[in-house]
């Protein structure tokens, strides 16, 4: 069965500092990969997605993610964090089969210090 | 631009009561699903549907029923609420024709079972 691991439950960074959130997946083939962000009391918003092609994908709000097949990773990065980036971030994978549901990691909560 | 609409936003139930969480989408998406979100566990799939009249179980289906009589609506029923069903519930939808379509999420229903 596929699984997604986000090893960092909680990360604190200073405003203006760079950010990297880790995501590793377990799956036999290359899955479809997603990053979502959830602000307090809100639903999930798609930041970016990877299906194939260029392994560095750009998303909204200045985020990017890099797919590394050899490491089964899909880490999310941002060069300069803003206070408004404080939220919970979820990595998710989807198989190319009938169910087409997302398997989520447990999330990483980001706190931004002034 | 309604997207995915969930009602109610908040609900408190007593153990043993029944209720229906509503989900509607106006994007003509074939695929709809229900997830529950619990602290430290990400989102887990309860039930899903690939089209009107077709539903199937996800990862944690026990205690929940669904039906899909129309493309737009996908209600989730709790037949006899239990405290273990206290959670935040999210409905999501996507185009089903290909697996690489991202899912669109509602804002969630926060449910407490006393």
């Amino acid at each position: 069965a596929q699984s997604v691991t986000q090893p960092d439950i909680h990360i604190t960074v200073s405003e203006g500092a760079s950010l990297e959130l880790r995501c590793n997946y377990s799956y036999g083939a290359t899955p479809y990969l997603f990053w979502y962000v959830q602000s307090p009391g809100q639903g999930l918003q798609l930041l970016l997605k990877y299906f194939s092609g260029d392994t560095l994908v750009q998303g909204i709000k200045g985020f990017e993610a890099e797919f590394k097949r050899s490491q089964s990773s899909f880490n999310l990065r941002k060069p300069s964090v803003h206070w408004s980036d404080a939220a919970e971030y979820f990595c998710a994978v989807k198989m190319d089969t009938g169910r087409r549901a997302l398997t989520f990691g447990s999330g990483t909560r980001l706190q931004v210090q002034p | 631009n309604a997207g995915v609409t969930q009602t109610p936003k908040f609900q408190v139930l007593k153990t043993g009561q029944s209720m229906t969480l509503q989900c509607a989408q106006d994007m003509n998406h074939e695929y709809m699903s229900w997830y529950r979100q619990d602290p430290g566990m990400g989102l887990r799939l309860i039930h899903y549907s690939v089209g009107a009249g077709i539903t199937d179980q996800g990862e944690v289906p026990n205690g929940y029923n669904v039906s899909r009589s129309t493309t737009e609506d996908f209600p989730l029923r709790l037949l006899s609420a239990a405290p273990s069903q206290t959670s935040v519930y999210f409905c999501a939808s996507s185009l089903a024709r290909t697996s690489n379509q991202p899912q669109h999420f509602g804002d969630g229903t926060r449910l407490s079972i006393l």
Side-chain angles (χ1 to χ4, degrees):
Chain A
Q2 63 191 32
S3 65
V4 181
T5 301
Q6 292 181 248
D8 304 306
I9 296 173
H10 187 215
I11 285 182
T12 300
V13 300
S14 299
E15 190 168 17
S18 63
L19 172 70
E20 182 169 27
L21 302 182
R22 296 182 290 166
C23 173
N24 293 93
Y25 66 90
S26 171
Y27 181 55
T30 300
Y32 301 119
L33 298 160
F34 304 83
W35 274 99
Y36 284 87
V37 60
Q38 184 182 31
S39 298
Q42 301 295 314
L44 279 74
Q45 181 183 22
L46 180 69
L47 283 176
L48 47 77
K49 58 190 178 185
Y50 173 78
F51 301 142
S52 63
D54 192 347
T55 57
L56 183 64
V57 294
Q58 303 296 320
I60 62 171
K61 303 184 180 185
F63 285 93
E64 66 178 25
E66 185 172 14
F67 169 61
K68 293 185 177 180
R69 184 189 306 275
S70 62
Q71 299 176 18
S72 297
S73 69
F74 188 56
N75 294 349
L76 181 72
R77 300 194 294 249
K78 186 170 185 178
S80 178
V81 170
H82 188 263
W83 65 266
S84 61
D85 293 324
E88 189 152 21
Y89 293 79
F90 293 94
C91 181
V93 303
K94 188 195 290 189
M95 293 189 296
D96 187 15
T97 59
R99 177 183 283 190
R100 295 181 179 168
L102 291 166
T103 298
F104 284 88
S106 55
T108 298
R109 182 166 295 281
L110 174 65
Q111 187 172 358
V112 180
Q113 289 181 334
Chain B
N1 257 13
V4 179
T5 302
Q6 291 185 237
T7 56
K9 294 190 182 304
F10 303 93
Q11 184 70 49
V12 179
L13 293 177
K14 295 181 180 179
T15 296
Q17 286 185 313
S18 63
M19 82 158 293
T20 300
L21 308 185
Q22 301 292 344
C23 175
Q25 53 89 12
D26 61 357
M27 298 172 282
N28 202 30
H29 285 171
E30 301 96 332
Y31 183 92
M32 297 185 74
S33 54
W34 278 101
Y35 295 86
R36 60 177 289 172
Q37 182 181 27
D38 302 293
M41 302 186 73
L43 280 76
R44 293 179 292 168
L45 182 68
I46 304 171
H47 285 286
Y48 68 98
S49 168
V50 297
I54 306 170
T55 64
D56 206 345
Q57 296 181 350
E59 183 183 354
V60 287
N62 292 340
Y64 307 96
N65 278 357
V66 291
S67 60
R68 186 91 181 272
S69 56
T70 67
T71 299
E72 295 77 19
D73 300 300
F74 190 44
L76 178 72
R77 298 184 188 84
L78 283 70
L79 302 178
S80 179
S84 61
Q85 294 177 304
T86 293
S87 188
V88 182
Y89 292 84
F90 287 97
C91 180
S93 73
S94 67
L95 290 169
R97 285 188 290 276
T98 58
S99 294
N100 61 7
Q101 295 299 318
Q103 293 192 19
H104 300 260
F105 285 83
D107 287 338
T109 294
R110 284 145 187 84
L111 183 61
S112 294
I113 315 295
L114 305 179

